[in-house]
Amino acid sequence: MRPIVGITSYVEPASWGVWIDQDAALIRKSYVDAVTAAGARAVILPPDDTDADVLRALDALIIAGGADLGPDLYGEEPGPLTESRPDRDRGESLLLQAALRTDLPVLGICRGMQLLAVTCGGRLHQHLPDVVGSDKHRPGPGVYGWHGITLEPGSLAAEVAGDGPDGDNSVEVNTYHHQGVADPGSLTVTAWADDGVVEAVEDPAKPFVLGVQWHPEEAGERRIFESLVDAARNN
């Protein structure tokens, strides 16, 4: 039987057929395709802050990308460019806290990495261009940035991302975000962009808890999803 991997979903207006601008729980199919290609069954999880009971049916959890985290999660007021989704914040926080308590394998992607850091006591930069002085991490609407990152040798992030073409633990990744991790809380930072922005966090004490700031599902990076599914099989 294939492991079952839950993927949290966006809630956004969407249009299909004769239905225009309808509220929809959705996720880019690249997430589903990546999980399927890794040998697991993907289940999409809409926001729900009633309980985390669904985790009993899952072998692993992916916290997907999307809108900004609400800064109330880390004790700050929203900046002028912060656009959050409180329903996602509530539902995903509940799931993530329960998953961490039970050692369920967890992968956080982009927003998911940021939620992982905040859940573990960290905080965010609400607008990275104010910190790094450029828009390289989100060059324009719907445009991914590409830049180099350096991975900590021996880390889970290095294991799933590879050591680069020159064997120096440096790889190129795709990014689309304007917030970033300022403080990882109790997590360990294991990858950095060339401008110092945190690109991966993990918990070495857990079987599989990893957050990446880039989008492996869009870049066709299978190893990270295969590693998650392997951890799910052994969970």
Side-chain angles (χ1 to χ4, degrees), residues 79-110:
L81 299 176
T82 296
E83 298 182 5
S84 62
R85 299 292 187 274
D87 54 346
R88 281 196 69 181
D89 291 349
R90 292 191 300 269
E92 292 178 358
S93 293
L94 188 69
L95 288 178
L96 182 53
Q97 290 168 23
L100 293 174
R101 286 195 302 269
T102 57
D103 286 344
L104 190 74
V106 172
L107 172 62
I109 295 176
C110 196

Side-chain angles (χ1 to χ4, degrees), residues 135-157:
D135 293 319
K136 65 182 292 182
H137 296 274
R138 189 177 70 175
V143 178
Y144 284 94
W146 284 86
H147 60 73
I149 65 170
T150 300
L151 298 140
E152 180 68 27
S155 65
L156 178 57

Side-chain angles (χ1 to χ4, degrees), residues 116 152 154-159 186-191 200-205 209-211:
L116 188 57
E152 180 68 27
S155 65
L156 178 57
E159 177 185 326
S186 62
L187 299 175
T188 300
V189 178
T190 52
V201 295
E202 57 192 77
D203 186 345
V209 172
L210 174 65

Side-chain angles (χ1 to χ4, degrees), residues 72-84:
D72 59 295
L73 294 177
Y74 48 97
E76 294 185 9
E77 293 296 320
L81 299 176
T82 296
E83 298 182 5
S84 62

Side-chain angles (χ1 to χ4, degrees), residues 109-110 149 151 161 173-175 191 199-200 212-216 221:
I109 295 176
C110 196
I149 65 170
L151 298 140
V173 296
N174 60 337
T175 59
E199 288 288 331
V212 297
Q213 188 61 74
W214 66 93
H215 283 273
E221 297 177 26

